[in-house]
Amino acid sequence: MSSADLSGPAAKRQTVVDATLRIIAEDGVEAATTRRIAAAAGVGQSGLFYSFGSRDGLLAAVVEAGIDAEIASFDGLLAELDVTSPSPGVTLDELFRQGLDVYLAALAADPAKERALISLALYAQRTPGIEHLATRLYQGYYDLVTRVLDAASASAQFTWTKPSAELAPLVVAFTDGLTMAYLAHPDGDFAGLIDGAVALLMGYVKPCAD
């Protein structure tokens, strides 16, 4: 009996999801066959279907796990920045820059996860029957960024000139670009990109009246 079989159902599911993410990050979604996933996770193929119903069910679970990981990452970002109580003397543009620097650091710490999620989103968009996975993934991103924008606005005494839900796709478009730039050139200098994004965000800031 494998070590995965000795774990509980939740732990076994997580082992399978983690194995699937690793395979997708290394070789793409097409390479994530049930045979290879089962071998990497140390479970039988029948166990995969019992736990997830189908390969598409497993991919959906991977998307949900990715969103959960992003939620945890953004929660960590909020805690690290402490946007609910910014440090005295920290300007708004500095706060934005710090947030993007923290995002870049999190990306550098686990690029394989982002590579896998990008591959999964592209695969879902062109695969009939699972297009909703790409929509679910990006709606999760938009919801997370909306939370961050609302937290920044509430704590730093300013309002956005547009609803945060409308600004969220703009921020996600930038972080997507930053992610792709980093994955292509991990040793690159991204300060200019971040400065441009900060300038763009500052254009949507309206200070609160005293």
Side-chain angles (χ1 to χ4, degrees):
M1 183 177 291
S2 70
S3 59
D5 291 329
L6 292 172
S7 304
K12 185 185 295 185
R13 283 177 60 91
Q14 189 60 50
T15 298
V16 172
V17 167
D18 291 343
T20 305
L21 277 171
R22 288 196 302 273
I23 293 168
I24 293 173
E26 293 171 2
D27 298 314
V29 180
E30 289 83 354
T33 63
T34 55
R35 182 187 298 275
R36 184 170 174 185
I37 293 168
V43 300
Q45 290 189 64
S46 61
L48 293 182
F49 292 108
Y50 178 80
S51 297
F52 299 97
S54 65
R55 180 173 178 270
D56 288 350
L58 170 56
L59 294 180
V62 171
V63 168
E64 293 298 333
I67 293 172
D68 288 344
E70 296 292 80
I71 291 173
S73 176
F74 272 78
D75 284 342
L77 184 151
L78 289 172
E80 186 166 342
L81 290 177
D82 196 12
V83 296
T84 60
S85 182
S87 300
V90 174
T91 64
L92 194 54
D93 61 330
E94 289 173 340
L95 184 65
F96 292 162
R97 187 171 288 102
Q98 288 173 9
L100 292 169
D101 285 340
V102 170
Y103 173 85
L104 186 60
L107 170 60
D110 192 4
K113 181 192 71 175
E114 295 300 329
R115 188 177 293 110
L117 291 174
I118 290 169
S119 296
L120 186 55
L122 292 174
Y123 176 81
Q125 288 172 7
R126 64 177 187 269
T127 303
I130 62 171
E131 301 94 334
H132 65 283
L133 294 184
T135 301
R136 173 73 183 96
L137 181 63
Y138 270 80
Q139 188 58 55
Y141 290 158
Y142 297 155
D143 291 345
L144 287 170
V145 172
T146 298
R147 283 180 51 205
V148 174
L149 295 177
D150 286 342
S153 173
S155 64
Q157 299 183 348
F158 72 92
T159 59
W160 297 107
T161 59
K162 290 187 175 183
S164 55
E166 292 184 15
L167 292 176
L170 179 66
V171 176
V172 171
F174 170 77
T175 55
D176 272 359
L178 180 60
T179 298
M180 295 300 293
Y182 176 85
L183 293 176
H185 300 286
D187 297 326
D189 182 359
F190 304 104
L193 287 176
I194 290 176
D195 286 345
V198 169
L200 185 63
L201 281 173
M202 290 297 295
Y204 291 100
V205 169
K206 178 180 179 182
C208 291
D210 293 333

